[in-house]
Amino acid sequence: MLSLGSVGAKSTKPSFVSYVTPEEIKLEKEPPKIEKHPDLLPGEVEFCCANPILKYTQDDMSQRGIFGTLFCTNFRVTFISDEKSQEETTKTFKNKLYGENDIPLMCVDHIYGVYDEKKKLITGGLVKNKYPSKMIIHCKDLRVFQFCLTFTKEEDAKKIFQGIAHHCLEERSLKCVFAFSYSGTPSPEMQRKWETILFDSPEDWTQEMKRTRANCRLVTENENFELSQRLPKYFVIPSALGDLFSYQGKGFPIWCWSHHSGCALFKASLPPVTQEDGDFQKHLDIMLNAVAHNYLYSAKTEDLSESLPTIQDIQQSYNKFKQFFLIENSTDFWLSDVKWFSSLESSGWLDIIRQCLQKAVEVVECLEKDNTNVLITEEEGTDLCCVISSLVQIMLDPYYRTLMGFQSLVQKEWVAGCHAFLDRCNHLHQKDKECHSPVFLLFLECVWQLVQQHSPAFQFSETYLTVLSDSVDVPVFSTFLFNSAHHRESVMKAESPLAQSSPLSCPTVWDWSVQFDSKAQNFFFNPLYSEKVKHEKAVRKAHKPKHQRQLSLPSTAFKPPSKKGFFKDETDSLKKILRVKRLSRWMGSPDSPAATTRGFYESWKQRPLDYHGLLLPCLDGPAVRVWMQRYLRWIPEVHIMGGGSVAVMTKLMELLSQVQDLKRVLEQRDSSQAVKLDHRPYIQHRLLSFGSSGRLSSSFPFAYSRNRSFKPIIPTGLMQSLMVTDSLASQEDEASSFVSLV
Amino acid sequence: ALLAHIPGKAIWIPDHTHTHRASRESLKMEPLADVAMLPGEERVIDKDIIYICPFNAAVKGKVFITNYRLYFKNTDSTPVTLDVPLGVISRIEKMGGASSRGENSYGLEITCKDMRNLRFALKQEGHSRRDIFEILFKYAFPLSHGMQLFAFLSQEKYEENGWNVYEAMEEYRRQGLPSSEWRVTFINKNYELCDTYPTILVVPYKATEEDLRRVATFRSRCRIPVLSWFHKENHAVIMRCSQPLVGMSGKRNKDDERYLDLIREANGTTKLTIYDARPNVNAVANKATGGGYEGDDAYQNAELVFLDIHNIHVMRESLKKLKDIVYPNVEESHWLSSLESTHWLEHIKLVLSGAIQVADKVSSGSSVVVHCSDGWDRTAQLTSLAMLMLDSFYRTLRGFQVLLEKEWISFGHKFASRIGHGDKNHADQDRSPIFLQFIDCILQNNVRVKTASLWSFVNSDTSLYINPFYTSESSRVLYPVASMRHLELWVTYYIRWNPRIQHQQQSPVEQRYKELLALRDQYLKKLEELQLSDSTHLTNSSTPNAATPNQHITHLQTPF
């Protein structure tokens, strides 16, 4: 209705095409002016607003857009169109907390201002003086918003710009995070939450030990964080470890998971070795000794900070990588298209993913093939240790490939495991850049690689992973808001409205009903998942999956540990340590990490693939790929109308729902006397009303293209890089200078 | 197993009622236990040999050569086999001499057209290599030795005559031709007008036979603009031809100009778009050899667009580079940049985006003319890809065969020389594998073309190519997205020989789909039985809630 030709900063250009001038709009609009306001969430407060603001539409190159009002609240930046929008209401996959024109404050990554055609990064200092004609917001979920501020009153423009910049960029205290103001009513679907094990009670840990048949010791001495504030409230250690208080401040081997053979995976924080530190060496020996005692007296240790990129490397690489997806216009898109592959490579992001998976495979080999205990260490013990230990568990234990299992794993290793989410995600815009790093995202990336390589093995879909990666930056959940269990508890107590009596309760991210209705939640489930026949109800029973694992890898394939009894002589401690040391060297051999596990991978490859058994990723060049759904979902140029994997999946889900309908009908008929209906809510893939339309874009269920005209996207600037320097080009003819297209 | 370059109908080999007679020679040899030989296939030689496998170590075994294949089977425990049709061999070389030092240094190296090299080592004593080399050389390149291709020797019997898949008249009728604007001409009945065109051509109604002859003089190899595809609704057409013979002096031809204008007028297109597949410079350079392009002044009602697709030589080199990075080992740490440096996917992108432009123009109601230099390589790529986008019939298995027959074989794509004797490896990714596939089809005639794997490459529109997921929406135009972001290497084709890369016999999606289909049928059957027993019990009281979904579902059932 109010779409204009090129406007704003470019209005001086002769190419200006406008059907109505801004003044006319004002006049037209003034009389029936109805104040539009966002539907606020409980606890949400509006800070400032400005009208009219032009939001550029990304759908095409032209500088067209929609007029509306821009608001800034304590939760989000939101744009409300003056036009009536039907889209939002008809969406199948709709987030209840924020829509397509909402940006949660935490989700803002960078703000750019365009001053006289020049794009400048906005930092705290720049805000005071001038407001830009155009404001560009890059989001952490890779959306790009462009707002033109020149149509509104100077005062309003200034206010909204400064407001947004202030709330999104300035350092702030944790108290200001919306989660503490949000007072959403607890959802009715609480029972679903229960299925995720939170690992915040001794029982959860005992159960997990029982499930994996671990014989380790549960530590309850840290209930009041007397041992360490960086350690979980409850954790599990090798039973051979003695008095914990004597090792205070030095870090313990914390149990992660036990293999069915009895060997187990441990992680520990380990400060960097200072030269000739006898005391430190002694402590390390004690820890290794305790780990080795866990099973058959064998252990390998791996210092992840030596063999994997640092968290700063990870941060830098991701910063480069994400730039390729924060695309502001079509010209940029096609320009970057030609150098796409080499740009990807230069960011190094995929290589970091490969290295993590590779390391995880190495650890898996130790556990599965050699039946050796493994201790992974790192300075903090809560970054790459979490990545590797979680990946190892996903590869080895099919339980973690179910949705609830996966959520429990994230709780166990990351949330209860004290990953410093607050610092790593930079939720508070701290100036200290050293501690920011997308470590959790890196983990999700690795999982995605596994999901796309072996999708029938996973109950959850890539959409689930994408949504989970977005949810980290939604400041409503307490899950990803703290640096440690101690931090969580102390803040929650202090922020509680009824101080001391009961701690504040924020929803956990696993209560998906806060964000999505049950129909939308169906997208979290992978229609390809090959459920274990007959064993559905026994998924969480301890030994069932283990037998399966053994089936997938017959014991004849791998020699049983020959060391049995060899190192039983416990007095010969020097020899033990030497052996342990030697093994650790070998494991982290830097020359060719791929070669070490190749044999293991190949022998696994030769066996028939059991989706409920051991799962190893392929790490060859073409196998490690870009998470298209997450990174390309907002870029209209790459949306395939009616195509992509979505089309196939839709078709599959349609069929699945038919089969389930039939099954239900049969069951109803079968059991007129005893109604035995399948009550699992999520299996009702009844979301398929959209299927018949058949015109879903490949970005479904995320971006919705308004461009229904079905015009193809024709690449521009094709020849810019493809300069064939060979004499071949001229074999048929003479190649001379630059070639222009069309 | 190659098709001789004969336009139109090639020779159909009639079957003889035949019992397989084993030659005396092969009786002496060990039976090829696990290989079913084709009718007409005969054993030639077998020999102890060492296969130097690039993925494992050297493998001892025996090689069997027939007039159709090279088969290797090892004698050790873990089975390693090779089964290579001789037609796939592009080059055989000796490596090392009788006096070469080192283990396995004396042998043969065979370069294949399917992205692999095979190395064999033989015993150094007694010229053990000579006979096998000579035999292999003879049977792998039979035409060079005055022998017949296996396709002509094959005695396989098929239920259907594969040469009947494509019936030109029938295909034109399907498109809605002839019409008041377009007529069928038999001017090329005896390949008199153009020896690389089919006998049946569709041309503007207003163009006389004499016009056609005069136009032919101005088009390279007499390949005049003829109709390839007709849009039923807006009557726009895709025409294909070769370059005009403009030459250095910038010759003009009134008949050619008028002819193109007739094409434009046929559906009232305001400006006829001519897509020249070549890069601009190449088109200019072609003037030196008498070719060229349609100039602005001569063709006032036409606009010329260059699509920047490179020639077969560039494509061949690019493919060669690609082979270097995928065989035998896949480059790991610099995979992406090495992939980029081959430019292979970039060429694909250019071909795809060219085809998108053609399809877009046509679906918006404008007629187009497509040509390159001779109009049988890039032109065929563009027209057939555009037609795949525009016409859902071509996306069916049968339709796809028709498309290949029509656009590639009948219009004289030089299969024999492009795939031929190891010197030319033809153009585009989408295309070259199609030839391989298609040769397979000539050989086995009505074997199923694996449309799914063939097209898994163009992953942008996978869904509609994967057989079980095919939806028959006839009027739908399908546009792929020609961005590097979506292009990826067709791993299952190019890296299929590497044992480490995932090789799923069947994609999990397809597998799951089939499982579900089976399950649905099972449930349906059960339900039917129940209903039957119901109706026998009580004929009057119906069970509506059970019957409704049943009807609903049988209605949705896809033919499978």
Side-chain angles (χ1 to χ4, degrees):
Chain A
M1 178 164 100
L2 290 173
S3 298
L4 288 191
S6 62
V7 278
K10 307 213 165 169
S11 57
T12 48
K13 285 197 169 181
S15 63
F16 179 78
V17 185
S18 172
Y19 308 106
V20 257
T21 64
E23 291 73 42
E24 277 179 283
I25 301 159
K26 283 262 165 162
L27 282 173
E28 253 175 60
K29 270 264 123 167
E30 216 77 70
K33 180 128 188 170
I34 312 149
E35 285 274 313
K36 283 198 177 179
H37 283 284
D39 297 326
L40 297 175
L41 294 174
E44 191 177 357
V45 181
E46 194 182 307
F47 289 145
C48 48
C49 69
N51 179 293
I53 298 283
L54 182 75
K55 175 184 170 264
Y56 294 108
T57 45
Q58 265 179 294
D59 285 9
D60 51 33
M61 273 184 81
S62 65
Q63 297 280 313
R64 279 186 297 143
I66 322 157
F67 279 102
T69 315
L70 194 61
F71 296 88
C72 180
T73 76
N74 59 346
F75 168 56
R76 61 188 157 155
V77 173
T78 179
F79 175 82
I80 293 179
S81 162
D82 290 340
E83 295 174 48
K84 268 185 207 121
S85 158
Q86 303 275 309
E87 305 276 345
E88 286 280 304
T89 47
T90 54
K91 263 184 160 183
T92 340
F93 193 73
K94 193 181 154 196
N95 195 312
K96 292 197 249 175
L97 295 177
Y98 63 100
E100 64 173 329
N101 284 324
D102 297 324
I103 316 162
L105 297 182
M106 237 185 215
C107 186
V108 173
D109 196 9
H110 288 296
I111 298 177
Y112 293 90
V114 176
Y115 297 91
D116 307 323
E117 309 271 307
K118 266 184 215 143
K119 193 173 134 186
K120 279 183 195 155
L121 179 68
I122 306 293
T123 51
L126 254 160
V127 178
K128 310 279 180 304
N129 329 326
K130 241 175 108 187
Y131 72 92
S133 53
K134 188 170 162 189
M135 177 167 65
I136 303 168
I137 301 180
H138 288 184
C139 302
K140 287 182 182 166
D141 60 10
L142 302 147
R143 287 180 294 170
V144 176
F145 287 88
Q146 303 188 52
F147 297 110
C148 176
L149 305 180
T150 47
F151 296 102
T152 189
K153 271 182 280 175
E154 203 178 310
E155 212 177 305
D156 287 350
K158 209 166 177 173
K159 221 162 72 190
I160 192 84
F161 173 66
Q162 286 178 350
I164 290 171
H166 175 80
H167 291 290
C168 299
L169 303 174
E170 298 288 334
E171 194 165 340
R172 57 182 174 158
S173 80
L174 184 57
K175 274 184 284 187
C176 299
V177 171
F178 179 66
F180 300 104
S181 322
Y182 177 71
S183 48
T185 42
S187 77
E189 288 180 77
M190 282 305 261
Q191 84 273 25
R192 198 171 293 192
K193 193 188 117 188
W194 289 116
E195 293 180 48
T196 302
I197 303 165
L198 296 177
F199 290 94
D200 55 359
S201 70
E203 293 75 38
D204 288 350
W205 287 99
T206 320
Q207 233 240 290
E208 178 75 353
M209 279 200 283
K210 230 169 95 191
R211 192 183 72 86
T212 62
R213 291 182 166 179
N215 71 54
C216 293
R217 176 156 79 88
L218 176 72
V219 178
T220 49
E221 285 93 326
N222 203 33
E223 221 156 11
N224 299 314
F225 304 103
E226 281 158 2
L227 273 167
S228 166
Q229 297 189 346
R230 290 287 308 139
L231 284 174
K233 235 173 137 151
Y234 308 101
F235 54 92
V236 176
I237 55 165
S239 42
L241 212 60
D243 174 29
L244 290 178
F245 284 91
S246 63
Y247 310 126
Q248 212 161 5
K250 282 175 181 161
F252 311 109
I254 293 174
W255 174 82
C256 300
W257 183 79
S258 282
H259 185 253
H260 59 84
S261 65
C263 63
L265 174 65
F266 299 88
K267 60 179 177 185
S269 80
L270 206 66
V273 187
T274 43
Q275 297 249 309
E276 302 300 317
D277 189 340
D279 196 38
F280 170 81
Q281 200 59 50
K282 217 174 119 198
H283 177 65
L284 186 64
D285 290 349
I286 294 167
M287 291 207 312
L288 268 179
N289 205 20
V291 167
H293 257 291
N294 182 62
Y295 174 73
L296 287 183
Y297 220 86
S298 62
K300 287 182 186 178
T301 178
E302 171 79 8
D303 186 1
L304 297 179
S305 30
E306 259 175 39
S307 52
L308 287 178
T310 64
I311 60 164
Q312 286 84 24
D313 294 340
I314 293 167
Q315 164 81 350
Q316 264 176 20
S317 169
Y318 182 68
N319 277 346
K320 266 196 221 161
F321 177 74
K322 75 179 175 199
Q323 291 309 321
F324 308 136
F325 307 97
L326 294 162
I327 289 181
E328 282 159 25
N329 59 55
S330 205
T331 321
D332 283 359
F333 177 86
W334 290 114
L335 276 178
S336 57
D337 203 49
V338 262
K339 283 279 156 217
W340 170 244
F341 289 114
S342 49
S343 318
L344 270 189
E345 187 175 290
S346 71
S347 77
W349 182 246
L350 291 181
D351 203 49
I352 290 177
I353 293 168
R354 181 182 289 119
Q355 286 179 51
C356 289
L357 286 167
Q358 172 68 39
K359 187 57 69 188
V361 174
E362 283 170 38
V363 175
V364 168
E365 186 181 7
C366 291
L367 293 164
E368 173 82 27
K369 189 178 151 206
D370 308 334
N371 295 152
T372 311
N373 298 297
V374 178
L375 172 67
I376 47 175
T377 63
E378 178 191 20
E379 193 176 334
E380 294 272 356
T382 53
D383 290 308
L384 289 164
C385 275
C386 296
V387 176
I388 302 302
S389 74
S390 324
L391 287 175
V392 167
Q393 293 174 61
I394 290 171
M395 290 179 199
L396 281 164
D397 193 337
Y399 165 60
Y400 294 122
R401 297 175 217 145
T402 63
L403 188 91
M404 288 309 153
F406 181 77
Q407 297 187 161
S408 305
L409 180 69
V410 172
Q411 277 294 137
K412 179 168 93 165
E413 293 296 323
W414 296 82
V415 182
C418 297
H419 173 68
F421 279 105
L422 186 67
D423 287 347
R424 296 291 177 261
C425 304
N426 194 21
H427 287 324
L428 302 180
H429 319 296
Q430 287 148 322
K431 293 284 171 286
D432 175 23
K433 291 239 156 66
E434 289 289 281
C435 61
H436 313 157
S437 185
V439 182
F440 184 63
L441 177 66
L442 174 63
F443 162 64
L444 295 181
E445 281 262 14
C446 294
V447 177
W448 181 85
Q449 302 291 340
L450 284 165
V451 169
Q452 61 106 12
Q453 287 187 20
H454 305 288
S455 49
F458 291 85
Q459 193 190 27
F460 50 88
S461 65
E462 76 166 336
T463 304
Y464 168 78
L465 290 174
T466 306
V467 167
L468 181 57
S469 75
D470 290 344
S471 303
V472 172
D473 302 308
V474 179
V476 164
F477 311 106
S478 61
T479 313
F480 304 122
L481 216 49
F482 303 102
N483 278 332
S484 66
H486 171 257
H487 187 216
R488 169 189 309 271
E489 205 158 286
S490 52
V491 171
M492 289 301 232
K493 262 189 191 134
E495 290 306 313
S496 170
L498 309 153
Q500 270 85 39
S501 65
S502 70
L504 184 80
S505 78
C506 294
T508 96
V509 75
W510 314 126
D511 187 357
W512 291 109
S513 62
V514 175
Q515 290 191 76
F516 299 97
D517 58 26
S518 63
K519 227 176 174 183
Q521 283 180 52
N522 283 328
F523 288 99
F524 294 172
F525 292 89
N526 172 14
L528 289 182
Y529 181 55
S530 60
E531 235 164 307
K532 275 278 278 298
V533 217
K534 305 286 177 222
H535 289 323
E536 284 163 4
K537 276 154 210 147
V539 174
R540 287 181 55 181
K541 284 207 178 130
H543 57 280
K544 277 274 160 60
K546 282 182 186 164
H547 281 303
Q548 287 303 310
R549 261 180 281 147
Q550 275 173 318
L551 273 179
S552 74
L553 284 166
S555 50
T556 48
F558 302 121
K559 278 169 252 144
S562 53
K563 304 151 261 198
K564 196 161 183 173
F566 189 76
F567 283 108
K568 273 280 163 69
D569 183 6
E570 293 185 23
T571 53
D572 193 4
S573 87
L574 185 70
K575 204 171 173 183
K576 280 182 305 206
I577 300 299
L578 276 176
R579 176 166 175 84
V580 165
K581 279 288 138 53
R582 198 163 55 79
L583 284 168
S584 71
R585 285 286 141 67
W586 169 77
M587 192 168 151
S589 81
D591 36 293
S592 168
T596 56
T597 52
R598 185 149 284 171
F600 178 58
Y601 178 77
E602 268 162 24
S603 66
W604 172 78
K605 197 81 238 281
Q606 273 166 20
R607 262 165 280 282
L609 183 55
D610 173 11
Y611 289 121
H612 297 276
L614 174 67
L615 217 57
L616 294 180
C618 177
L619 299 174
D620 281 315
V624 179
R625 296 161 52 175
V626 175
W627 186 353
M628 301 281 238
Q629 190 192 50
R630 177 175 154 83
Y631 293 104
L632 297 180
R633 59 190 152 151
W634 314 116
I635 305 174
E637 280 79 7
V638 292
H639 290 177
I640 311 160
M641 290 307 285
S645 56
V646 171
V648 178
M649 284 301 176
T650 313
K651 195 100 177 154
L652 200 66
M653 284 163 93
E654 256 172 61
L655 184 61
L656 192 64
S657 85
Q658 285 175 23
V659 168
Q660 273 150 3
D661 276 351
L662 271 174
K663 198 176 162 196
R664 208 163 303 121
V665 170
L666 278 171
E667 274 169 350
Q668 267 167 7
R669 294 183 57 112
D670 257 9
S671 51
S672 40
Q673 62 272 64
V675 187
K676 285 188 292 175
L677 281 179
D678 194 352
H679 278 300
R680 281 162 310 159
Y682 49 80
I683 297 299
Q684 304 166 3
H685 291 265
R686 308 203 96 272
L687 56 151
L688 301 152
S689 48
F690 60 79
S692 49
S693 77
R695 292 224 166 169
L696 297 170
S697 139
S698 60
S699 63
F700 183 84
F702 294 97
Y704 267 69
S705 179
R706 267 159 213 78
N707 185 6
R708 298 267 166 191
S709 63
F710 246 90
K711 280 299 265 186
I713 295 143
I714 296 165
T716 54
L718 284 170
M719 284 301 286
Q720 257 130 10
S721 85
L722 191 69
M723 301 291 263
V724 181
T725 43
D726 296 279
S727 57
L728 292 164
S730 51
Q731 205 161 317
E732 181 179 72
D733 24 55
E734 282 268 312
S736 56
S737 59
F738 181 76
V739 187
S740 70
L741 177 89
V742 190
Chain B
L2 299 170
L3 178 74
H5 177 218
I6 303 161
K9 291 274 151 101
I11 312 133
W12 160 246
I13 310 143
D15 348 294
H16 305 286
T17 32
H18 161 83
T19 44
H20 183 67
R21 283 169 287 118
S23 68
R24 265 175 294 123
E25 199 75 27
S26 48
L27 281 174
K28 277 185 275 172
M29 291 185 257
E30 284 175 43
L32 268 172
D34 40 359
V35 188
M37 292 227 280
L38 302 174
E41 188 175 354
E42 280 178 18
R43 302 269 295 275
V44 182
I45 191 173
D46 53 0
K47 204 167 192 76
D48 289 320
I49 209 162
I50 296 162
Y51 166 50
I52 303 164
C53 177
F55 309 109
N56 305 307
V59 187
K60 264 189 192 159
K62 210 167 186 110
V63 69
F64 306 90
I65 294 168
T66 74
N67 54 357
Y68 166 69
R69 77 180 97 203
L70 179 153
Y71 183 81
F72 172 84
K73 191 165 185 272
N74 69 331
T75 39
D76 308 343
S77 52
T78 46
V80 176
T81 54
L82 292 171
D83 192 349
V84 187
L86 296 180
V88 102
I89 294 174
S90 71
R91 192 169 166 181
I92 305 165
E93 284 171 297
K94 294 177 184 173
M95 56 174 198
S99 55
S100 304
R101 297 236 196 109
E103 224 184 322
N104 302 331
S105 60
Y106 176 74
L108 294 173
E109 172 147 16
I110 298 171
T111 311
C112 298
K113 295 166 196 162
D114 58 3
M115 311 298 275
R116 60 180 167 168
N117 284 11
L118 305 171
R119 294 179 66 194
F120 294 102
L122 290 121
K123 284 195 205 87
Q124 259 155 322
E125 54 268 10
H127 301 290
S128 60
R129 181 169 67 183
R130 191 187 293 153
D131 53 343
I132 186 168
F133 176 79
E134 276 165 9
I135 283 171
L136 204 53
F137 205 76
K138 201 164 110 192
Y139 283 93
F141 312 121
L143 291 184
S144 317
H145 293 86
M147 286 160 54
Q148 273 191 305
L149 290 169
F150 181 71
F152 298 101
L153 300 172
S154 169
Q155 285 150 351
E156 189 82 76
K157 223 179 123 181
Y158 301 102
E159 284 171 23
E160 182 192 357
N161 184 341
W163 296 112
N164 294 339
V165 166
Y166 173 59
E167 189 62 69
M169 272 316 286
E170 201 183 301
E171 166 59 15
Y172 287 123
R173 228 172 278 134
R174 186 191 67 82
Q175 291 185 20
L177 295 167
S179 69
S180 53
E181 282 98 23
W182 299 94
R183 68 183 180 91
V184 172
T185 171
F186 297 95
I187 190 172
N188 202 32
K189 193 170 58 195
N190 300 314
Y191 305 109
E192 283 153 339
L193 180 76
C194 170
D195 60 359
T196 53
Y197 263 9
T199 48
I200 296 170
L201 299 170
V202 177
V203 293
Y205 192 82
K206 288 181 185 155
T208 63
E209 309 287 86
E210 196 40 46
D211 288 338
L212 300 180
R213 278 193 197 95
R214 267 179 282 164
V215 171
T217 62
F218 194 63
R219 289 279 163 181
S220 171
R221 293 172 206 267
C222 306
R223 296 170 67 92
I224 60 165
V226 292
L227 184 140
S228 220
W229 192 76
F230 179 74
H231 195 297
K232 269 183 196 154
E233 274 105 56
N234 64 29
H235 293 202
V237 295
I238 299 177
M239 305 290 287
R240 58 179 293 174
C241 60
S242 61
Q243 62 181 342
L245 298 172
V246 175
M248 291 297 270
S249 54
K251 273 194 296 257
R252 287 179 60 168
N253 183 310
K254 283 272 171 262
D255 296 302
D256 192 67
E257 287 160 26
R258 203 179 76 86
Y259 184 72
L260 286 192
D261 219 42
L262 285 178
I263 295 169
R264 184 188 63 80
E265 278 170 3
N267 83 326
T269 302
T270 42
K271 220 164 172 75
L272 180 72
T273 312
I274 302 168
Y275 286 103
D276 189 329
R278 300 167 295 183
N280 193 338
V281 275
N282 295 32
V284 174
N286 257 298
K287 283 186 173 180
T289 51
Y293 53 90
E294 292 84 354
D296 284 345
D297 41 347
Y299 300 85
Q300 302 219 332
N301 291 322
E303 66 170 331
L304 184 67
V305 177
F306 292 102
L307 294 176
D308 295 324
I309 300 164
H310 281 275
N311 61 35
I312 53 165
H313 314 291
V314 176
M315 299 297 177
R316 186 186 60 233
E317 286 313 300
S318 174
L319 185 64
K320 213 184 234 166
K321 279 191 201 157
L322 185 66
K323 182 175 173 175
D324 290 342
I325 66 163
V326 299
Y327 189 89
N329 287 309
V330 180
E331 172 76 47
E332 190 164 294
S333 49
H334 298 292
W335 164 250
L336 292 171
S337 55
S338 5
L339 182 62
E340 185 173 281
S341 69
T342 67
H343 293 298
W344 184 248
L345 293 180
E346 224 161 316
H347 294 310
I348 307 293
K349 176 178 151 179
L350 283 165
V351 174
L352 271 179
S353 67
I356 292 171
Q357 290 178 60
V358 172
D360 180 39
K361 228 357 154 228
V362 171
S363 64
S364 64
S366 303
S367 293
V368 300
V369 173
V370 182
H371 72 74
C372 47
S373 294
D374 288 322
W376 52 40
D377 287 318
R378 287 168 278 192
T379 301
Q381 289 177 343
L382 287 169
T383 53
S384 52
L385 276 173
M387 283 151 73
L388 270 173
M389 293 173 199
L390 290 163
D391 192 336
S392 65
F393 168 69
Y394 297 125
R395 296 177 217 139
T396 62
L397 187 59
R398 167 83 25 158
F400 188 67
Q401 290 173 355
V402 167
L403 183 70
L404 288 184
E405 283 277 354
K406 179 161 108 74
E407 287 303 296
W408 293 82
I409 295 168
S410 78
F411 279 100
H413 173 71
K414 300 203 287 183
F415 277 96
S417 63
R418 289 290 181 264
I419 301 167
H421 300 290
D423 56 353
K424 296 248 166 75
N425 204 335
H426 169 72
D428 177 74
Q429 167 139 5
D430 290 319
R431 294 298 127 199
S432 42
I434 283 172
F435 307 148
L436 295 175
Q437 292 269 351
F438 197 75
I439 287 156
D440 219 38
C441 285
I442 295 165
L443 199 90
Q444 304 178 26
N445 247 313
N446 65 345
V447 101
R448 299 168 302 278
V449 178
K450 281 182 88 182
T451 334
S453 73
L454 190 64
W455 288 101
S456 61
F457 171 75
V458 188
N459 79 338
S460 43
D461 36 20
T462 328
S463 68
L464 290 155
Y465 292 122
I466 287 179
N467 259 334
F469 296 103
Y470 177 74
T471 46
S472 55
E473 259 185 84
S474 52
S475 59
R476 172 91 86 81
V477 185
L478 206 65
Y479 292 121
V481 173
S483 155
M484 294 307 252
R485 267 86 159 175
H486 275 306
L487 292 180
E488 50 185 88
L489 197 69
W490 183 9
V491 171
T492 41
Y493 179 74
Y494 290 102
I495 321 186
R496 63 186 146 156
W497 309 116
N498 191 324
R500 267 201 319 284
I501 304 280
Q502 306 275 330
H503 295 290
Q504 275 151 340
Q505 286 301 307
Q506 204 174 24
S507 90
V509 185
E510 253 174 87
Q511 207 174 331
R512 181 97 171 115
Y513 196 74
K514 283 178 189 158
E515 276 170 26
L516 285 173
L517 277 176
L519 205 60
R520 188 182 67 181
D521 291 346
Q522 189 192 321
Y523 284 153
L524 274 173
K525 215 175 132 195
K526 221 162 144 190
L527 203 64
E528 243 164 64
E529 280 164 17
L530 279 169
Q531 270 166 345
L532 250 159
S533 64
D534 269 3
S535 55
T536 47
H537 279 306
L538 14 118
T539 14
N540 285 339
S541 76
S542 63
T543 47
N545 56 337
T548 323
N550 185 20
Q551 280 161 359
H552 168 70
I553 279 146
T554 32
H555 162 71
L556 275 168
Q557 201 155 13
T558 40
F560 206 61

